[in-house]
Amino acid sequence: MNKPAGECIDEVAVDTMTDPAVRAVGEKVLSGERLTPEDGLACFQTKDLMGLGRIASAVKGSRYGDKAFFISNQHLNYTNVCESRCRFCAFHRSPDAKDAHTYTHEEAAAAIAQSPVAHLREVHVVGGCHPRLDLDYYTGLLKALTQARPGLKLKAFTAVEIDHMAKGAGISSLDCLKQLKTAGLAAMPGGGAEVFSERVREALFPRKISADRWLEIHGEAHKLGIGTNATMLFGHMETMEERVMHLFRLRKQQDLTKGFRAFIPLPFHPENTPLAHLPGPTGVDILKTIAASRLILDNIDHIKAYWVMLGLKLTQTALHFGADDLEGTIVKERIAHQAGAATAPGLTRTRLVEMIQEAGLVPEERDTFHQSIQTQ
Ligand code: V47
């Protein structure tokens, strides 16, 4: 499926691009040359949004043509209790907060058994770093969910949660991943990466694992055959150089362990956080970040435009700026909504299909492993 970008991009009129740095990026992409961090920075700094978008869209087109992918899935946040207390997060609660919740296995299984999604393929399972849950809770949760709907795939637990549960159990993260895999872990989501900068970590998420540790755990998962995703939370206090560094660290990790399936840029939502005075990123910034991700991450197949955080209209636009995937039906999203996301908590499969068609593209349903599913 993956043709060299040059085969599809040759009709992109590189010589009409107004920014010489973007033109140089286009020429490199055409000739199959990898971008440098300086090229990456030029993608973020350019005023030629349309030129950048045309290159990224052509690369997407060279891989997937007119297709855009989605999945019938449900998000499940088993707990909002979290001892990390990151400053960008409106989701976490202390254990004694009135609206703190932690699902029993039975409650989690019931939520999935009663899912409104007709052909549910995947559950995306994430929570906080709860001080009192043990490893049996996590393995039991995976088993209970699998029993609730046999055949379901579980994309569960960020590297942050894996580090937390391994420490609690006094075992290595590798052993922890092995036990989770045996209990039903099929894939890992990309959350918790935030932005790979010690400066920003110290200011916003000092209790969370470092970039090195996040990458190490994903590398371990890849070696066990567990595919993972990656994210970048952007539009708060990070610099463009830090974004570029984040993307290049992911590219380097992927060269080594090859297990990242998708990258999801997450635009910062400030409401109900200690950073509520910040405006969050603009639409132009979001589109540039999607396009730059597609171009820098030449070794990660899928770029998701996460409709929950982008809004439906910008998501449709992002599909023409290098993104090829929308995430899914979701049912009830909490993390972004607590931080002010104005989208619906979930979308029907029909609405996802319509959204893609309205954008002039061809919807293709996929599974957790990005394999296409024949739709009825
Ligand atoms: O880990 C937290 C981020 C992530 C805010 O892998 C925020 O398929 C914006 O990772 N504004 C959760 N972002 C979402 C996530 C995700 C979503 C969909 C698909 C996948 C996947 C992964 O959201 C957190 C954190 O990095 N986040 N607070 C906020 N105020």
Side-chain angles (χ1 to χ4, degrees):
M1 185 182 264
N2 295 3
K3 288 192 279 170
E7 279 182 30
C8 202
I9 208 175
D10 49 9
E11 71 270 25
V12 172
V14 168
D15 52 358
T16 64
M17 287 167 188
T18 54
D19 180 346
V22 167
R23 201 177 313 140
V25 165
E27 274 155 9
K28 279 193 177 176
V29 172
L30 253 173
S31 64
E33 209 180 314
R34 291 194 113 177
L35 300 191
T36 62
E38 292 70 34
D39 298 323
L41 196 56
C43 293
F44 283 102
Q45 286 174 339
T46 188
K47 291 201 166 70
D48 188 6
L49 172 68
M50 299 312 289
L52 182 71
R54 281 212 302 280
I55 305 168
S57 186
V59 173
K60 181 263 170 192
S62 72
R63 295 185 179 205
Y64 308 114
D66 284 348
K67 288 179 189 169
F69 300 95
F70 70 95
I71 185 164
S72 294
N73 72 349
Q74 181 158 346
H75 282 204
L76 185 95
N77 301 120
Y78 58 91
T79 186
N80 59 357
V81 173
C82 187
E83 54 187 25
S84 295
R85 300 191 300 277
C86 304
R87 284 171 57 75
F88 56 76
C89 175
F91 172 73
H92 68 269
R93 295 289 181 275
S94 59
D96 53 359
K98 268 207 215 105
D99 54 352
H101 80 263
T102 302
Y103 290 156
T104 62
H105 295 161
E106 293 70 29
E107 286 166 339
I112 295 312
Q114 293 155 17
S115 173
V117 181
H119 300 285
L120 187 68
R121 314 268 173 204
E122 171 190 277
V123 186
H124 167 113
V125 186
V126 294
C129 292
H130 191 300
R132 285 193 296 275
L133 298 177
D134 60 16
L135 191 54
D136 284 347
Y137 173 85
Y138 299 103
T139 53
L141 179 64
L142 296 180
K143 287 179 194 158
L145 292 173
T146 308
Q147 274 164 18
R149 287 237 191 169
L152 202 64
K153 293 290 176 270
L154 303 178
K155 177 182 64 166
F157 308 133
T158 64
V160 178
E161 289 160 281
I162 304 283
D163 179 78
H164 174 75
M165 63 180 90
K167 276 195 186 120
I171 58 174
S172 69
S173 45
L174 187 66
D175 283 342
C176 182
L177 284 166
K178 283 181 187 163
Q179 292 194 37
L180 293 170
K181 190 179 176 191
T182 305
L185 182 80
M188 269 170 64
E194 320 320 350
V195 69
F196 296 152
S197 150
E198 257 317 285
R199 183 187 74 88
V200 180
R201 188 168 88 91
E202 273 164 31
L204 299 188
F205 47 98
R207 291 178 205 85
K208 206 168 233 172
I209 57 172
S210 65
D212 287 348
R213 183 72 179 127
W214 190 96
L215 290 164
E216 183 185 11
I217 291 174
H218 279 260
E220 288 174 346
H222 298 169
K223 283 183 189 141
L224 294 175
I226 301 168
T228 73
N229 293 335
T231 57
M232 175 174 73
L233 171 61
F234 69 97
H236 38 86
M237 60 167 281
E238 84 291 356
T239 63
M240 295 301 155
E241 286 80 359
E242 285 165 333
R243 286 191 204 180
V244 170
M245 187 164 61
H246 185 102
L247 295 171
F248 275 83
R249 290 207 67 184
L250 285 176
R251 191 176 88 173
K252 189 170 167 205
Q253 182 68 42
Q254 181 74 335
D255 283 341
L256 294 172
T257 54
K258 301 184 173 58
F260 288 120
R261 288 205 184 91
F263 175 70
I264 310 125
L266 302 172
F268 177 52
H269 283 58
E271 242 177 82
N272 304 319
T273 77
L275 306 177
H277 56 285
L278 296 179
T282 64
V284 168
D285 189 11
I286 293 172
L287 291 177
K288 274 193 204 171
T289 306
I290 298 258
S293 306
R294 169 61 79 193
L295 296 175
I296 294 169
L297 298 174
D298 54 11
N299 54 0
I300 299 187
D301 286 344
H302 300 281
I303 304 292
K304 274 194 209 179
Y306 184 34
W307 65 260
V308 168
M309 292 196 190
L310 267 59
L312 305 194
K313 293 179 181 178
L314 198 57
T315 297
Q316 289 175 314
T317 314
L319 292 174
H320 294 282
F321 280 76
D324 65 286
D325 193 336
L326 298 189
E327 177 63 11
T329 43
I330 294 177
V331 182
K332 184 151 181 56
E333 199 285 334
R334 293 171 197 270
I335 298 171
H337 284 88
Q338 303 232 331
T343 40
L347 289 179
T348 61
R349 184 184 178 285
T350 307
R351 186 66 194 111
L352 284 175
V353 165
E354 282 169 3
M355 259 178 76
I356 294 170
Q357 287 170 338
E358 285 162 10
L361 297 165
V362 179
E364 184 132 323
E365 189 163 359
R366 65 163 178 88
D367 66 12
T368 300
F369 312 112
H370 278 270
Q371 297 301 312
S372 296
I373 287 167
Q374 292 308 328
T375 43
Q376 313 74 9

